[in-house]
């Protein structure tokens, strides 16, 4: 706990000297220090050490679905930690929170997704799905099925397999040697997916992985009918279909899981983030009955994959309470309704501001494209989204910029947000666009 006598400048100096931030410009951190040092969260709001309070328009990292400061979550974590904070799940050891959470997730997952492997977060979940897919085909006597296909503009995490599957090239360029056997196709083209499968040979493809709605790639919704055609192609060629629900799960899109909007069931589904609303580190992969039964029938000896914190008792207890709150407070329906209001607000901004191009939202995940010319879609030579993010923060709203071959603002507020709070978000964005447009137009 920070001593009350600690000065803000001392915290800034310590941050710069000792804390390497994830997904941060190191040069910016060293020159400017942390943009916020948060000390408290309540509902959709965050307060920093200077006393400044802002709307958390990103639910931090798309994940604080039930909002900040839910005391029930702290109580259940304390109760479980006092009783049994941790025990391993290796070698068939088990614990009640993990068992009950696996059963609960099976009950809410689409279709016949019924068997859960737990991880510590989203990158591990996607890595696990990739490894399980390849191991599955080894067990099935098809060892050549090792290639993974994903989509351009996709984001699947930063572990080695997840990085290699990520369709955003700068993340792959971060390391000078990505994993082999990963292929990326146009995120909206069924024809390109089929072409790559036939070009590489269906007998060499292990799995296709996709986010139902791409998040970090700019909140991109799929073309109509896209996932139904993907499911048909995967069935035709015997390829496993994996959906990455790390961002889109647990009510974010106005349904429990994003893929439910598109009427198909994958063979595996990855989750994290909203499963605990960020109150504890947890993720996982859900397998369908066929895969699970094949593993039971064909697996001999030890399944040589697992994480120290797979099935962590405290994290699983927190997740159970989180899901209870989501259901009790009807947050999935609230996400749907408030999401419609958010999109309507985006459209008003679009009609008013010359730099607002395409807008989209599904539930409480949305994006606004920034353009120089609405007719042609031409962007500004220097991307404006980072500047707009900084201006919005000054006005009391945290959002995020996406600048990978685009100029986009993205949003994902907590699912507890009210109609009045959505309206306030739109007001702040209106003020933000107006201020920046005065400077550039």
């Amino acid at each position: 706990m920070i001593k009350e006598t600690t000065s803000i400048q001392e915290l800034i100096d310590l941050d710069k000297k000792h804390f390497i931030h994830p997904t941060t410009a190191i040069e910016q951190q060293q020159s400017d220090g942390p943009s916020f040092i948060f000390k408290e969260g309540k509902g959709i709001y965050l307060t920093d050490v200077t006393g400044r309070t802002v709307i958390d328009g990103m639910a931090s990292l798309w994940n604080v679905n039930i909002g900040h400061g839910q005391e029930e979550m702290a109580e259940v974590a304390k109760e479980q930690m006092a009783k049994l904070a941790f025990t391993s799940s290796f070698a068939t050891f088990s614990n009640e929170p993990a068992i009950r959470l696996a059963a609960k997730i099976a009950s809410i997952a689409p279709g016949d997704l019924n068997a859960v492997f737990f991880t510590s977060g989203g990158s591990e979940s996607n890595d696990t799905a990739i490894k399980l897919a390849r191991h599955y085909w080894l067990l099935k006597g098809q060892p050549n099925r090792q290639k993974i296909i994903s989509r351009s503009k996709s984001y699947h995490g930063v572990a080695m397999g997840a990085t290699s599957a990520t369709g955003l090239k700068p993340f792959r360029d971060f390391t000078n040697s990505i994993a082999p056997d990963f292929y990326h196709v146009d995120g909206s083209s069924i024809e390109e997916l089929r072409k790559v499968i036939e070009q590489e040979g269906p007998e060499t493809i292990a799995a296709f992985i996709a986010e139902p709605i791409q998040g970090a790639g700019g909140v991109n919704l799929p073309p109509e009918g896209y996932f139904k055609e993907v499911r048909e192609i995967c069935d035709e060629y015997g390829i496993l279909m994996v959906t990455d629900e790390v961002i889109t799960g647990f009510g974010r899109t106005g349904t429990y899981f994003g893929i439910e909007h598109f009427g198909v069931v994958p063979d595996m589904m990855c989750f994290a983030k909203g499963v605990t609303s960020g109150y504890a580190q947890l993720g996982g992969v859900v397998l369908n009955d066929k895969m699970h039964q094949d593993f039971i029938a064909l697996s001999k000896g030890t399944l040589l994959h697992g994480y120290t914190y797979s099935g962590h008792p405290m994290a699983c207890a927190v997740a159970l309470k989180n899901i209870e709150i989501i259901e009790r407070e009807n947050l999935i329906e609230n996400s749907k309704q408030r999401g419609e209001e958010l999109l309507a607000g985006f459209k008003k901004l679009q009609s008013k501001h010359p730099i607002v191009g395409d807008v989209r939202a599904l539930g409480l995940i949305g994006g606004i494209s920034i353009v120089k010319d609405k007719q042609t879609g031409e962007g500004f030579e220097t991307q404006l989204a980072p500047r707009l993010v900084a201006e919005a923060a000054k006005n009391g709203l945290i959002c995020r910029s996406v600048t990978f071959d685009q100029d986009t603002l993205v949003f994902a507020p907590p699912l507890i947000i009210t109609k009045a709070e959505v309206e306030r978000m739109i007001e702040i964005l209106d003020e933000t666009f107006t201020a920046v447009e005065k400077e550039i137009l």
Side-chain angles (χ1 to χ4, degrees), residues 40-177:
E40 187 176 4
K42 193 66 179 175
I44 70 163
Y45 300 96
L46 290 167
T47 302
D48 75 358
V49 291
T50 70
R52 182 171 43 157
T53 296
V54 292
I55 294 172
D56 185 1
M58 281 304 301
S60 288
L61 270 179
W62 323 82
N63 63 335
V64 187
N65 290 8
I66 63 169
H68 299 280
Q70 290 273 10
E71 292 185 6
E72 287 180 80
M73 299 288 275
E75 290 163 5
V76 76
K78 178 182 177 182
E79 180 183 334
Q80 184 60 47
M81 289 179 76
K83 185 165 55 177
L84 178 66
F86 174 74
T87 183
S88 168
S89 294
F90 286 26
T92 76
F93 291 3
S94 200
N95 64 83
E96 185 174 352
I99 292 168
R100 294 202 179 281
L101 180 60
K104 179 62 181 177
I105 289 173
S107 75
I108 61 178
D112 63 346
L113 293 164
N114 283 317
V116 182
F117 186 101
F118 287 116
T119 71
S120 306
S123 294
E124 288 184 359
S125 296
N126 289 323
D127 254 34
T128 294
I130 290 163
K131 288 182 71 176
L132 288 179
R134 288 171 168 171
H135 185 66
Y136 178 76
W137 291 118
L138 287 173
L139 293 177
K140 296 282 283 182
Q142 299 183 53
N144 291 331
R145 283 191 182 266
Q146 57 198 43
K147 296 174 183 175
I148 306 296
I149 301 176
S150 58
R151 299 192 293 162
S152 60
K153 294 188 178 180
S154 65
Y155 178 80
H156 298 292
V158 293
M160 186 53 77
T163 293
S164 302
T166 290
L168 298 168
K169 190 172 180 292
F171 283 92
R172 302 198 306 274
D173 292 344
F174 176 81
T175 175
N176 60 2
S177 181

Side-chain angles (χ1 to χ4, degrees), residues 55-58 388-389 392-393 397-401 409-411 429:
I55 294 172
D56 185 1
M58 281 304 301
L388 290 161
V389 166
L397 171 66
I398 291 176
C399 54
R400 181 172 170 178
S401 63
L409 296 175
V410 295
F411 307 85
L429 287 171

Side-chain angles (χ1 to χ4, degrees), residues 105-114 259-260 264-266 269 286-289:
I105 289 173
S107 75
I108 61 178
D112 63 346
L113 293 164
N114 283 317
I259 199 64
E260 293 177 75
V264 300
V265 178
M269 183 178 77
V286 198
L287 281 64
N288 68 9
D289 286 337

Side-chain angles (χ1 to χ4, degrees), residues 214-241:
Q214 292 180 331
V219 183
N220 306 306
L221 278 67
E224 187 174 352
Y226 177 82
F227 279 110
K228 284 196 173 180
E229 292 189 73
V230 166
R231 178 72 272 184
E232 290 169 3
I233 286 174
C234 287
D235 289 342
E236 177 183 347
Y237 293 115
I239 294 166
L240 297 174
M241 179 180 176

Side-chain angles (χ1 to χ4, degrees), residues 184-376:
H184 306 91
V185 297
D186 183 324
S188 61
S189 173
I190 286 293
E191 292 74 21
E192 186 174 331
L193 173 60
R194 185 181 289 277
K195 180 182 176 182
V196 169
I197 291 170
E198 293 185 347
Q199 183 177 290
E200 295 300 319
E203 71 283 357
T204 71
I205 312 297
F208 172 79
I209 184 169
E211 303 154 279
I213 296 95
Q214 292 180 331
V219 183
N220 306 306
L221 278 67
E224 187 174 352
Y226 177 82
F227 279 110
K228 284 196 173 180
E229 292 189 73
V230 166
R231 178 72 272 184
E232 290 169 3
I233 286 174
C234 287
D235 289 342
E236 177 183 347
Y237 293 115
I239 294 166
L240 297 174
M241 179 180 176
V242 183
T243 53
D244 174 354
E245 298 269 4
V246 171
I247 286 174
T248 52
F250 299 93
R252 172 57 55 196
T253 68
T255 54
Y256 238 126
F257 297 96
I259 199 64
E260 293 177 75
H261 289 283
F262 310 114
V264 300
V265 178
D267 300 298
M268 285 189 280
M269 183 178 77
C270 305
F271 66 89
K273 293 190 183 292
V275 68
T276 64
S277 289
Y279 283 72
Q281 301 93 325
L282 185 69
V285 183
V286 198
L287 281 64
N288 68 9
D289 286 337
K290 184 181 187 309
M291 285 193 71
H292 190 210
Q293 290 306 313
D294 282 345
F295 271 111
I296 291 170
L298 300 173
S299 183
K300 306 298 179 186
T302 302
L303 181 71
L304 293 174
H305 181 70
Y307 302 99
T308 298
Y309 299 118
S310 293
H312 190 287
M314 185 276 290
C316 290
V318 166
L320 284 165
K321 178 58 70 173
N322 176 68
I323 294 171
E324 177 190 317
I325 292 170
I326 287 172
E327 293 180 344
R328 185 185 73 214
E329 302 299 325
N330 205 22
L331 295 185
I332 298 174
E333 179 61 24
N334 193 65
S335 175
K336 180 177 181 292
Q337 293 178 7
R338 301 291 84 78
E340 291 169 356
E341 294 159 5
L342 186 69
L343 181 57
F346 286 173
K347 289 179 178 178
K348 287 181 181 177
L349 295 171
Q350 184 185 46
S351 66
K352 180 178 179 180
H353 293 281
I355 67 171
V356 175
D358 178 62
V359 298
R360 60 269 185 199
L362 187 62
L364 285 171
I365 181 171
I368 297 175
S369 295
I370 308 304
V371 295
K372 183 177 181 179
D373 187 320
K374 289 192 183 189
Q375 298 302 316
T376 65

Side-chain angles (χ1 to χ4, degrees), residues 373-389:
D373 187 320
K374 289 192 183 189
Q375 298 302 316
T376 65
E378 178 190 359
F380 289 90
E381 188 173 332
T382 300
Q383 292 156 319
L384 281 185
R387 188 169 169 184
L388 290 161
V389 166

